[in-house]
Amino acid sequence: MDVENLSGLQVDRAEPSDWAALAKIDSVAAAGDHARRDSIRRWCEQGVVVMARDSSGPLGYSALEYSFFEQGFITMLMVAPSARRRGVGAHLLTALETICTTAKLFTSTNVSNHPMQQLLQRAGWHPVGLLHGLDEGDPELFYLCPSTRLRDATVIGGSTTH
């Protein structure tokens, strides 16, 4: 599924075999976090990952799941350190907004993660809540995608969904 192809950047669904290449560009996994590597592998096997790449290979990835109150939730959005500030994250967000099948799409980030907050604000997402206790001393800030940016999730194939 080719979601987007702008200026040499392609965003499409990752294959299960892509997990190792994605783990190499993930700064946490590349630093030796085995739990993150396992998560990347599981997400790829479940088919919930979209990845951005160009002719040099993977530049970023994101996982979209539906276990957050049965709404779309971006569990992870990671851009390779060498590809940051080049629009990769924005392309991933746009792709996820396009493929989300629910009426609402959420994500979260630590209060300390200013680049992600800036990305979400530039994309028009709205802060909707703050949760303390996940990471000691660094609360989690939740965001909601404006419904105008999502495709119509209420009517799919002529039938109404809830």
Side-chain angles (χ1 to χ4, degrees):
M1 174 187 83
D2 183 11
V3 176
E4 192 167 333
N5 187 349
L6 296 175
S7 63
L9 183 69
Q10 184 174 339
V11 178
D12 52 20
R13 290 227 188 249
E15 297 295 327
S17 59
D18 291 323
W19 80 267
L22 296 178
K24 287 180 184 176
I25 65 161
D26 183 301
S27 54
V28 175
D33 187 313
H34 294 290
R36 176 66 68 85
R37 289 177 57 83
D38 291 344
S39 292
I40 296 168
R41 182 179 333 164
R42 183 182 74 251
W43 293 326
C44 286
E45 289 170 352
Q46 292 172 343
V48 300
V49 174
V50 294
M51 71 175 183
R53 58 190 162 114
D54 66 9
S55 60
S56 69
L59 301 175
Y61 75 94
S62 192
L64 173 62
E65 298 181 290
Y66 296 94
S67 56
F68 185 71
F69 298 97
E70 297 183 11
Q71 297 298 319
F73 191 88
I74 300 171
T75 306
M76 176 61 60
L77 191 149
M78 175 63 68
V79 176
S82 62
R84 292 181 181 160
R85 300 280 190 214
R86 293 180 19 206
V88 174
H91 280 86
L92 286 167
L93 273 182
T94 300
L96 296 170
E97 293 165 359
T98 302
I99 65 173
C100 182
T101 61
T102 57
K104 294 180 183 176
L105 177 59
F106 294 89
T107 194
S108 68
T109 189
N110 289 100
V111 168
S112 66
N113 189 343
H114 299 288
M116 182 63 172
Q117 291 176 51
Q118 291 169 353
L119 170 65
L120 293 167
Q121 290 167 2
R122 279 193 310 270
W125 288 53
H126 306 288
V128 293
L130 186 67
L131 178 65
H132 294 269
L134 288 177
D135 294 325
E136 190 63 37
D138 196 4
E140 196 77 6
L141 183 57
F142 286 78
Y143 283 84
L144 175 63
C145 179
S147 60
T148 57
R149 293 185 56 121
L150 298 174
R151 69 186 182 110
D152 185 2
T154 58
V155 178
I156 298 174
S159 64
T160 303
T161 61
H162 293 81

